[in-house]
C-alpha cells in the first residue's frame, strides 16, 4: 500500500491489485509452457518438427500428442485469463478517510465497471481499527475496520503478508486519524 496525503484532513492508502511482479512472472511461465505443449502436440500431428530442442516426431499423436495439445490449449486459456486479470488490474483500489466530509470510502476494482465495489461509511459509525496477526504455516497479517452493523471490513491487500512494523504503523495512524481505539496489538 502506498500512502498519499493530499490534505491534513484526508488520509488515503492505495491498494495494489493484480499488477504485481509475481503475476507477470507467472503469466510468462504459463505462456512458455503452454506454447511448448501446443507445439509438441502439433508436431506429432503434422509430422513436422516445430520444436528445435526436442524430438516430438518420435511420439504418436494418439494418445501422447493429443494429451500435449490438450495441455497446450488449457495453458493458453489460462494465459488469456491471466492477461485479462492483469489488464483490468483486478483487486486494486484505495482506502480513503476524509474528515472534511466525515466519510470512509473503501474501493476495489472488479472484472468490469459494474463489478467494482465501493463502500462508503460515516466516520461516526467506525468503532475501531483491528489488527490480526497469525504466524505459522499459513501466516496472516491483516488490518480491519470495525463499523457499526457491518462487522469487520478488510483494509489490507491480498497477497504477501505486510511487514509487522508497517502494519503496526498503519494501524496506529488510521486509529489516531479517526480517533478510534486500536484492537489486537
Amino acid at each position: 500500500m502506498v500512502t498519499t496525503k493530499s490534505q491534513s484532513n484526508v488520509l488515503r492508502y492505495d491498494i495494489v491489485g493484480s499488477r504485481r511482479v509475481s503475476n507477470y512472472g507467472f503469466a510468462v511461465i504459463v505462456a512458455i509452457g503452454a506454447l511448448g505443449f501446443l507445439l509438441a502436440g502439433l508436431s506429432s500431428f503434422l509430422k513436422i518438427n516445430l520444436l528445435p530442442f526436442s524430438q516430438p516426431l518420435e511420439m504418436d499423436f494418439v494418445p501422447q500428442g493429443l494429451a500435449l495439445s490438450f495441455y497446450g490449449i488449457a495453458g493458453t486459456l489460462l494465459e488469456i485469463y491471466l492477461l485479462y486479470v492483469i489488464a483490468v488490474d483486478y483487486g486494486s483500489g484505495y482506502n480513503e478517510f476524509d474528515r472534511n466530509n466525515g466519510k470512509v470510502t473503501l474501493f476495489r476494482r472488479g472484472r468490469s465497471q459494474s463489478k467494482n465495489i465501493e463502500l462508503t461509511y460515516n466516520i461516526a459509525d467506525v468503532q475501531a481499527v483491528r489488527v490480526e496477526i497469525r504466524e505459522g504455516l499459513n501466516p496472516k497479517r491483516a488490518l480491519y475496520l470495525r463499523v457499526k452493523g457491518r462487522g469487520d471490513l478488510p483494509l489490507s491487500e491480498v497477497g504477501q503478508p505486510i511487514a509487522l512494523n508497517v502494519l503496526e504503523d498503519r494501524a496506529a495512524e488510521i486509529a489516531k486519524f479517526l480517533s478510534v481505539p486500536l484492537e489486537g496489538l
Side-chain angles (χ1 to χ4, degrees):
M1 284 195 264
V2 178
T3 306
T4 58
K5 292 183 185 179
S6 58
Q7 300 171 357
S8 62
N9 287 332
V10 178
L11 181 63
R12 181 180 168 124
Y13 292 101
D14 293 326
I15 304 294
V16 177
S18 60
R19 290 184 185 164
R20 300 171 185 261
V21 174
S22 60
N23 286 350
Y24 285 112
F26 188 66
V28 167
I29 291 169
V30 168
I32 291 169
L35 183 64
F37 280 121
L38 197 57
L39 288 177
L42 285 174
S43 293
S44 70
F45 178 73
L46 299 173
K47 301 298 182 199
I48 300 170
N49 192 358
L50 300 173
L51 290 171
F53 51 85
S54 70
Q55 293 299 324
L57 299 177
E58 295 175 3
M59 68 179 151
D60 295 327
F61 179 68
V62 177
Q64 293 99 346
L66 190 60
L68 289 175
S69 297
F70 172 74
Y71 291 140
I73 291 169
T76 303
L77 292 175
L78 178 61
E79 176 66 19
I80 290 169
Y81 172 74
L82 286 172
L83 292 176
Y84 171 72
V85 166
I86 290 171
V88 171
D89 199 14
Y90 188 77
S92 66
Y94 60 86
N95 301 324
E96 186 174 80
F97 309 94
D98 188 352
R99 283 195 293 214
N100 293 332
N101 298 329
K103 300 285 183 188
V104 173
T105 304
L106 309 176
F107 176 79
R108 301 295 183 274
R109 191 174 316 282
R111 294 184 315 243
S112 65
Q113 286 288 77
S114 63
K115 301 291 182 184
N116 289 344
I117 297 173
E118 185 170 4
L119 305 172
T120 304
Y121 300 101
N122 292 324
I123 289 179
D125 292 339
V126 176
Q127 295 175 324
V129 174
R130 186 173 71 84
V131 176
E132 183 178 340
I133 300 171
R134 184 177 63 218
E135 299 296 335
L137 232 43
N138 189 16
K140 182 177 185 179
R141 295 179 186 161
L143 189 58
Y144 296 95
L145 191 68
R146 181 164 292 151
V147 178
K148 286 181 193 173
R150 299 295 295 176
D152 293 345
L153 302 171
L155 296 177
S156 49
E157 56 194 43
V158 178
Q160 281 295 103
I162 305 169
L164 198 53
N165 61 341
V166 173
L167 180 70
E168 290 172 349
D169 291 344
R170 188 163 297 139
E173 183 179 20
I174 293 171
K176 182 179 177 184
F177 185 82
L178 298 176
S179 301
V180 295
L182 177 60
E183 299 175 351
L185 287 179

